Amino acid sequence: MEQFILKKTILYLLIILVAFNCSSDDDGKLEESESHFKLKKFTSITSGFINTSETSEIYYLNNGKPQAILDPYGNVLSVIYEGDKLFKFANNTYTFDTENRLKTITNLDYGICTLHYNSQNLLIRQEIVTPNSIGSTEELHITRDLSYNDNNQITEILETETNNYRIDKYVLEYNNDEQLTNYEIFVSEQSNTPLELIEEVEITYDSSRNPLVPIYNNLDLNNSISMITIKELAPSFLSNTAFGHYEGFKINYVPQNNILSTIVSSPFNDALSENYSYNLIDDYPSSSEVNISGGFFSYSAEILWEYTTD
């Protein structure tokens, strides 16, 4: 407890120091934005098969950009910028190209990811070079190739591990509201073996607004996808839509609306379902009851969101 209080005190001092520096240095002054709804605190409480209670808080700069996240364990995850561009967050370092597109992400554990775009500024490839295991000098090379439909929505992600020939294929489908509603995962674990369907996910949405979208918009959101994972501010249930078998540098789909239900089915296991019901404030969720069931377990959760308009 003393360590948690110390870390939180350090965070408050950091925020005061940054605010003082920005207000006293005209060259580095951050423009103050208009008041708007911003997520302040996120709490997830589960009961049943799993019993947890976790709360995270997010702090902002004067211009509305995220400044730091205090996770449930008292860790301060600082968001550092160079100019108006993201530079460091959660052990990742980011660089941008001359067209202000995210170019590389470097992580000491996961390696380096280089991003490539087409003439429409859509991400079409990730090239990842990483240690084969943490602390290893042997490199693992991974590519993810993205395909799009006429609406510039991702329809396929093909991940290939060149060293051991594993292939993972994700096929995505959308509804008329341009929301991701279905995706399938195919895997080939050995060279020259056919891809096999291992999982299918169906998603429906509520009409309320996703409180994470403004945060992602201030970081790197591009055409509803992000290279940044903000797991501290999202339910750690079935609804995190992140594509990639390799744990590092996954492609996150960020919907404009909140997920109402998901069904995860597999040829090998019983289907898992997740259902949300929301209470709203200014079209943002203030609380939600969640029920997760299927397989050998079931449990429920309560999610609470708190906001600021400062």
Side-chain angles (χ1 to χ4, degrees):
M1 177 62 71
E2 291 180 356
Q3 184 179 9
F4 175 82
I5 294 173
L6 177 61
K7 288 184 176 181
K8 195 162 186 177
T9 302
I10 292 172
L11 176 61
Y12 291 145
L13 291 174
L14 174 64
I15 292 172
I16 293 170
L17 179 60
V18 171
F20 175 81
N21 287 339
C22 291
S23 62
S24 61
D25 184 353
D26 291 340
D27 293 335
K29 185 175 182 180
L30 296 168
E31 294 182 5
E32 190 169 348
S33 61
E34 296 179 353
S35 294
H36 59 285
F37 234 44
K38 295 181 292 188
L39 182 62
K40 178 182 178 182
K41 185 181 291 187
F42 173 84
T43 300
S44 174
I45 305 168
T46 62
S47 59
F49 181 79
I50 301 174
N51 295 284
T52 62
S53 179
E54 298 181 341
T55 297
S56 296
E57 298 180 48
I58 182 168
Y59 300 85
Y60 298 88
L61 296 168
N62 290 336
N63 65 352
K65 288 180 177 291
Q67 181 184 23
I69 294 174
L70 182 66
D71 76 8
Y73 311 103
N75 300 309
V76 178
L77 308 177
S78 298
V79 186
I80 301 174
Y81 303 88
E82 282 192 346
D84 63 345
K85 293 296 181 184
L86 180 66
F87 178 57
K88 286 186 178 181
F89 174 67
N91 297 322
N92 289 334
T93 301
Y94 303 87
T95 68
F96 292 79
D97 63 19
T98 56
E99 298 184 46
N100 293 322
R101 301 174 301 194
L102 184 60
K103 184 60 179 177
T104 66
I105 311 171
T106 303
N107 182 287
L108 291 178
D109 293 330
Y110 295 133
I112 183 168
C113 173
T114 303
L115 290 79
H116 302 271
Y117 302 85
N118 63 13
S119 58
Q120 296 173 286
N121 293 324
L122 298 175
L123 176 66
I124 57 172
R125 168 170 282 205
Q126 290 177 290
E127 293 182 345
I128 301 169
V129 180
T130 178
N132 209 353
S133 60
I134 294 178
S136 171
T137 57
E138 182 182 356
E139 289 184 344
L140 178 66
H141 292 257
I142 299 166
T143 60
R144 293 192 188 119
D145 292 300
L146 288 70
S147 301
Y148 294 82
N149 60 20
D150 292 339
N151 294 324
N152 293 334
Q153 299 166 316
I154 298 173
T155 56
E156 182 180 298
I157 301 171
L158 189 66
E159 177 180 304
T160 304
E161 296 182 9
T162 55
N163 294 46
N164 58 18
Y165 305 106
R166 178 187 171 105
I167 298 174
D168 292 80
K169 179 180 178 180
Y170 302 83
V171 179
L172 290 67
E173 297 180 1
Y174 304 82
N175 61 16
N176 291 333
D177 294 324
E178 300 186 352
Q179 297 169 320
L180 175 65
T181 55
N182 182 283
Y183 65 89
E184 297 174 321
I185 305 175
F186 300 83
V187 174
S188 170
E189 295 189 356
Q190 295 180 352
S191 178
N192 299 321
T193 59
L195 287 163
E196 181 180 9
L197 176 66
I198 64 165
E199 191 170 279
E200 182 176 4
V201 180
E202 300 175 50
I203 308 171
T204 64
Y205 298 88
D206 189 66
S207 60
S208 59
R209 294 191 289 180
N210 182 353
L212 293 183
V213 169
I215 299 172
Y216 276 107
N217 277 336
N218 274 310
L219 295 175
D220 79 324
L221 190 64
N222 182 3
N223 198 37
S224 295
I225 65 171
S226 172
M227 297 298 102
I228 299 172
T229 300
I230 310 180
K231 60 184 179 180
E232 296 79 15
L233 300 174
S236 56
F237 312 131
L238 311 178
S239 59
N240 291 343
T241 309
F243 298 105
H245 172 258
Y246 178 64
E247 187 64 27
F249 315 115
K250 288 190 176 184
I251 298 170
N252 298 279
Y253 174 77
V254 184
Q256 294 292 316
N257 302 106
N258 296 293
I259 288 178
L260 188 62
S261 69
T262 61
I263 299 176
V264 181
S265 57
S266 166
F268 316 106
N269 301 301
D270 294 337
L272 297 174
S273 65
E274 175 183 60
N275 295 278
Y276 291 77
S277 61
Y278 293 96
N279 294 311
L280 303 180
I281 178 171
D282 198 26
D283 208 27
Y284 282 103
S286 59
S287 64
S288 176
E289 296 292 331
V290 190
N291 292 296
I292 300 97
S293 62
F296 300 100
F297 66 92
S298 64
Y299 61 97
S300 60
E302 181 182 13
I303 303 173
L304 304 173
W305 293 266
E306 295 182 28
Y307 300 92
T308 179
T309 56
D310 296 337

